[in-house]
Amino acid sequence: MTARTALMHIAGTGSALPAEPVDNAALSRAFGISEEWIDLFVGTGTRHFGWDLATGKVTHTLGDLCAESAARALAAAGLAAADLDFLVLSTATPDTLLPTTANETADRLGLNHLPTYQIQAGCSGAVQALDVARALLAGGHRTGLVVSGDVTARFLEAGRDASTLARQELVNYVLFGDGAAAAVVTARPHGDALAVHGLLHRFAGRGRPPGQIVGWHGITEPDPDRQMLFEDYKTIEEEVPALAGEIVWELLSTAGWTPQQIDAVLPPQLSGHMTDRIVAGLGLPPGCREVSCVRDTGNTGNALPLLQLDRLMDRLAPGERALSVVVESSKWVKAGLALERPADPGEEGHTR
């Protein structure tokens, strides 16, 4: 069959993780949480923080990580900042509400006189940002930059005995890490670019309570009875595998592919154990390779889909295809990508 014309192309990716990895033993010492419980419940071995666990001092801002990952993506694509026509950034944890982290990142890259956008989103934010980029490319732009990331400094309290917290808040101390990732996107094939043959971004939470809440407040104090972080992990465990399966079939339908034609899958990355359960239920062929990072990076929110994509870039051979499957549980968003490394870099689609 012949693949449809690509929606856009991913010419280069880059990522940035702050400081040295923090293992479960260090996390246990810092927050009084059982190391064995972290291993058993989460299945994530390390994560990175842009702040000091002992003092809370910030060492890496989101802007730092976004600028670093963006520079690496440009270098991987063999392009310069001057080649960019726009920048789109997604995050749930901007450094400040204003100026936006998108504009701070643009400034650090030396960009000027181009459109910049910032999307407030959870784990599906990277795909939402790519959807905006797709529309901009379709409207006449040639090359753009998508950057996604999150940091935890304002939500996890250094030195706190987290073992006394309710589980809906405690789980956030063991799930999350900091990081950012970026992708250079183009309207036409550029070098050894990946072709995007399907992009899914769909709100699916009508009438459903949120699975995750991240609070915000200004100068006034928050409601003392309301948690700043809330994670309905049990509901997420129940809902995400089924939603992930729906995403796979929608992406296959959009791209006109069959499960047997998929060589790699980038599954949702809430935790190591959750990823194992999701992959087992996707119905993809046994030889389909899993591309994951959550066991090493923790849940980095917006950064995750592009962190996985950064790992995929060197692993997908010419003629191979991959699905990126993303579920946001805050208010239930289904998202994903159908990706292909063309057998001929100049091809828009090929017979397989």
Side-chain angles (χ1 to χ4, degrees):
M1 51 90 62
T2 301
R4 297 177 178 140
T5 300
L7 302 175
M8 63 181 169
H9 300 82
I10 297 173
T13 57
S15 56
L17 299 170
E20 295 298 316
V22 175
D23 62 20
N24 291 340
L27 204 65
S28 175
R29 291 192 299 270
F31 299 120
I33 307 170
S34 165
E35 182 180 352
E36 292 73 19
W37 181 81
I38 300 172
D39 290 332
L40 180 65
F41 183 66
V42 180
T44 296
T46 59
R47 71 286 295 152
H48 297 252
F49 292 117
W51 51 282
D52 185 85
L53 284 178
T55 65
K57 181 181 178 181
V58 173
T59 58
H60 299 77
T61 66
L62 180 62
D64 293 333
L65 299 175
C66 287
E68 182 178 344
S69 65
R72 290 175 176 170
L74 283 165
L79 295 171
D83 296 315
L84 297 174
D85 298 324
F86 61 84
L87 180 150
V88 188
L89 185 147
S90 70
T91 184
T93 57
D95 290 327
T96 56
L97 292 181
L98 291 174
T100 66
T101 305
N103 288 335
E104 290 289 356
T105 300
D107 192 13
R108 292 183 189 216
L109 294 173
L111 301 175
N112 208 15
H113 302 298
L114 83 174
T116 60
Y117 305 84
Q118 182 160 308
I119 296 172
Q120 180 77 18
C123 296
S124 65
V127 180
Q128 294 179 41
L130 286 167
D131 200 8
V132 172
R134 175 201 57 76
L136 291 167
L137 293 172
H141 290 297
R142 296 170 298 176
T143 305
L145 179 67
V146 171
V147 192
S148 299
D150 276 307
V151 291
T152 57
R154 67 176 56 81
F155 296 103
L156 305 184
E157 183 180 349
R160 179 165 189 172
D161 181 5
S163 64
T164 62
L165 297 173
R167 177 168 290 192
Q168 293 93 335
E169 191 167 7
L170 166 65
V171 68
N172 295 284
Y173 277 79
V174 298
L175 283 180
F176 293 99
D178 299 343
V184 175
V185 295
T186 59
R188 302 290 298 173
H190 175 83
D192 194 24
L194 294 184
V196 180
H197 286 290
L199 189 154
L200 174 66
H201 164 215
R202 185 170 301 159
F203 172 63
R206 178 182 175 184
R208 302 173 63 181
Q212 181 191 48
I213 298 173
V214 179
W216 182 87
H217 62 88
I219 194 169
T220 58
E221 289 298 318
D223 181 346
D225 296 324
R226 180 173 179 178
Q227 299 163 330
M228 280 292 285
L229 289 174
F230 171 86
E231 192 94 19
D232 187 350
Y233 200 79
K234 183 177 180 180
T235 297
I236 292 171
E237 280 188 311
E238 294 170 350
E239 299 288 344
V240 169
L243 289 170
E246 293 173 10
I247 292 167
V248 164
W249 287 103
E250 290 187 48
L251 287 172
L252 289 173
S253 176
T254 298
W257 300 344
T258 66
Q260 290 69 34
Q261 293 174 309
I262 304 305
D263 302 287
V265 61
L266 289 60
Q269 299 281 279
L270 181 69
S271 71
H273 290 329
M274 176 78 81
T275 296
D276 291 339
R277 289 194 290 272
I278 292 169
V279 172
L282 289 180
L284 294 172
C288 185
R289 308 187 301 273
E290 176 191 338
V291 180
S292 289
C293 60
V294 69
R295 296 171 184 85
D296 306 323
T297 66
N299 185 336
T300 55
N302 276 264
L304 278 169
L306 296 186
L307 281 173
Q308 290 172 281
L309 189 57
D310 193 30
R311 295 191 176 194
L312 177 72
M313 289 295 282
D314 293 332
R315 301 183 189 182
L316 203 64
E320 289 191 328
R321 293 167 173 169
L323 297 181
S324 171
V325 181
V326 182
V327 178
E328 181 178 326
S329 59
S330 65
K331 192 59 176 170
W332 309 108
V333 177
K334 298 194 294 185
L337 304 167
L339 304 160
E340 180 182 43
R341 173 85 70 194
D344 180 341
E347 290 183 348
E348 286 284 303
H350 73 280
T351 301
R352 179 175 181 177

